[in-house]
């Protein structure tokens, strides 16, 4: 009788072991960060392999251009790169953050970070990861919206990141429809910037609002711009050939200390967009970022510029 009772018990035990095994396999194959509740960490699958990072980071150091992504997700930043620190749009939120660099490891150590985010080209990577878990990204490997979702995953805030992305896409697409209805489906837009005495025209993925204009809003770029700047993201030109790259509308990312004397030339003044008052000048400082805070501000700038609201 005892032997008969042992048979179903043995089967039940095997089923329980099998179920546990299946659960473990499912967890192993999951692409979601795995949380260790005991240690308060998650395992993030980075470009360089799995990294154990805080599930709720409190002191983040950024050696990259992703500062606005972290800020939008409400995570505390204690140190940032020079470009971020000098970004006027970030000034208030970063007032207590220290300016740091990859060359000043002592200062980073003093900040006691629990997470460091950097670019894949960062120096001293091996030394940085001894200070705190360090995750690097290759600039441009992901599109600007996917990058925000990826950083959301790193910070254990993926749902919040996805929610912002979905909302931004809806707002930008709606604005694009309104703008195309006003200026015409075939109207073209060009984006220019003077930096370090060189004039540049931009493609559809090099910040300065280009992702919004060309990707989210589906506005058109002139054929010459498409030919020369679309592949690499930007193209250096001389002021003399600027009319060849000028669209029906022009956006200029403008630094206050840059040489904009080309705007005083007859070549520039005779461009139809200039003569028709279709040039929109935006602040150059901070325009080279593609994070949610910058994108939200640029979206409002374009709505006001093109639609007057």
């Amino acid at each position: 009788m005892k032997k008969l009772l042992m048979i179903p018990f043995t089967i039940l035990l095997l089923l329980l072991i099998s179920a546990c095994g299946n659960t473990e396999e499912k967890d192993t194959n999951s692409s979601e960060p795995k949380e260790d509740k005991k240690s308060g960490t998650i395992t993030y699958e980075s470009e360089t392999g799995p990294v154990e990072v805080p599930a709720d980071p409190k002191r983040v150091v950024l050696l990259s251009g992703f500062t606005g992504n972290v800020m939008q997700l409400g995570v505390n930043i204690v140190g940032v790169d020079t470009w971020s620190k000098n970004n006027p749009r970030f000034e208030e939120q970063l007032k207590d953050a220290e300016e740091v660099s990859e060359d000043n490891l002592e200062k980073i150590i003093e900040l006691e970070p629990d997470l460091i985010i950097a670019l894949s080209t960062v120096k001293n990577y091996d030394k940085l990861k001894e200070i705190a878990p360090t995750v690097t990204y290759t600039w441009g490997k992901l599109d600007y919206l996917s990058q925000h979702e990826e950083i959301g995953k790193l910070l254990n805030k993926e749902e919040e990141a996805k929610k912002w992305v979905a909302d931004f896409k809806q707002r930008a697409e709606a604005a694009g429809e309104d703008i195309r209805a006003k200026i015409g489906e075939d109207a073209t837009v060009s984006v220019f910037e003077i930096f370090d005495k060189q004039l540049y025209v931009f493609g559809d993925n090099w910040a300065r609002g280009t992702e919004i204009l060309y990707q989210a809003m589906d506005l058109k770029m002139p054929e010459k711009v498409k030919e020369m700047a679309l592949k690499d993201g930007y193209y250096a030109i001389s002021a003399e050939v600027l009319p060849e790259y000028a669209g029906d509308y022009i956006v200029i990312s403008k630094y206050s200390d840059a040489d904009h004397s080309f705007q005083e030339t007859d070549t520039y003044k005779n461009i139809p967009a200039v003569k028709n008052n279709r040039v929109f000048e935006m602040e150059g400082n901070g325009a080279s970022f593609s994070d949610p805070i910058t994108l939200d501000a640029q979206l409002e700038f374009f709505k006001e510029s093109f639609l007057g609201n």
Side-chain angles (χ1 to χ4, degrees):
M1 185 67 178
K2 290 181 180 179
K3 290 183 179 179
L4 291 174
L5 288 172
M6 284 297 292
I7 293 173
F9 176 76
T10 304
I11 293 173
L12 178 61
L13 183 61
L14 288 171
L15 288 173
L16 285 171
I17 293 171
S18 176
C20 290
N22 288 338
T23 301
E24 290 175 2
E25 183 179 354
K26 184 177 181 181
D27 289 345
T28 302
N29 292 334
S30 173
S31 62
E32 296 298 315
K34 303 171 187 63
E35 184 170 358
D36 184 340
K37 293 183 179 179
K38 292 181 180 179
S39 64
T41 63
I42 60 174
T43 301
Y44 175 73
E45 292 296 334
S46 75
E47 291 181 7
T48 57
V51 182
E52 190 173 337
V53 300
D56 184 21
K58 302 292 186 183
R59 300 181 63 80
V60 178
V61 164
L62 287 130
L63 301 172
S64 65
F66 305 121
T67 303
N69 302 85
V70 177
M71 288 166 57
Q72 194 274 332
L73 292 168
V75 175
N76 185 50
I77 298 170
V78 295
V80 291
D81 59 276
T82 301
W83 281 90
S84 296
K85 188 65 175 176
N86 293 333
N87 186 336
R89 195 167 283 123
F90 298 165
E91 184 176 4
E92 179 60 28
Q93 288 180 266
L94 293 180
K95 62 183 180 181
D96 297 324
E98 294 288 332
E99 183 177 325
V100 295
S101 78
E102 58 201 70
D103 296 314
N104 193 341
L105 298 177
E106 291 79 8
K107 192 167 188 177
I108 295 175
I109 292 172
E110 289 173 5
L111 293 174
E112 299 180 346
D114 55 9
L115 178 64
I116 299 172
I117 303 174
L119 294 175
S120 58
T121 54
V122 70
K123 303 179 199 172
N124 298 317
Y125 171 73
D126 288 337
K127 293 180 181 178
L128 287 169
K129 66 181 183 179
E130 291 177 3
I131 300 171
T134 301
V135 173
T136 62
Y137 294 103
T138 300
W139 185 263
K141 184 174 182 178
L142 298 175
D143 68 74
Y144 69 116
L145 297 179
S146 297
Q147 182 67 67
H148 185 57
E149 292 181 355
E150 193 63 28
I151 291 175
K153 190 184 298 183
L154 166 65
L155 300 175
N156 208 18
K157 291 178 177 286
E158 187 175 9
E159 290 307 310
E160 292 95 321
K162 286 183 174 180
K163 183 177 179 181
W164 179 85
V165 167
D167 178 63
F168 175 79
K169 288 172 71 174
Q170 187 277 325
R171 289 183 286 121
E173 289 170 7
E177 290 176 4
D178 292 341
I179 290 172
R180 295 196 309 275
K182 180 176 180 179
I183 70 175
E185 291 288 342
D186 295 325
T188 57
V189 182
S190 299
V191 180
F192 297 102
E193 179 181 276
I194 282 275
F195 183 75
D196 196 22
K197 299 181 180 181
Q198 178 61 60
L199 179 61
Y200 296 93
V201 62
F202 296 94
D204 67 351
N205 65 345
W206 211 259
R208 286 85 178 169
T210 55
E211 293 92 346
I212 301 176
L213 293 169
Y214 300 128
Q215 295 185 43
M217 289 183 174
D218 199 26
L219 301 183
K220 289 182 170 55
M221 66 175 65
E223 287 300 318
K224 189 70 173 178
V225 177
K226 190 182 299 184
E227 176 188 349
M228 305 305 294
L230 187 58
K231 181 180 178 181
D232 294 331
Y234 65 95
Y235 185 69
I237 62 173
S238 65
E240 289 75 22
V241 300
L242 192 149
E244 299 177 30
Y245 297 84
D248 299 309
Y249 292 80
I250 292 175
V251 175
I252 299 179
S253 170
K254 201 165 186 178
Y255 290 89
S256 59
D257 58 351
D259 179 9
H260 292 94
S261 57
F262 74 91
Q263 290 184 285
E264 303 303 319
T265 66
D266 289 339
T267 300
Y268 175 80
K269 291 179 179 180
N270 286 322
I271 293 173
V274 178
K275 295 171 73 173
N276 292 321
N277 197 31
R278 293 175 175 174
V279 177
F280 309 133
E281 296 182 353
M282 67 190 298
E283 172 61 49
N285 276 319
S288 59
F289 289 72
S290 300
D291 60 84
I293 292 173
T294 302
L295 292 167
D296 279 337
Q298 289 175 340
L299 177 57
E300 292 307 308
F301 170 79
F302 292 138
K303 286 166 64 176
E304 181 179 347
S305 298
F306 284 97
L307 301 173
N309 55 31

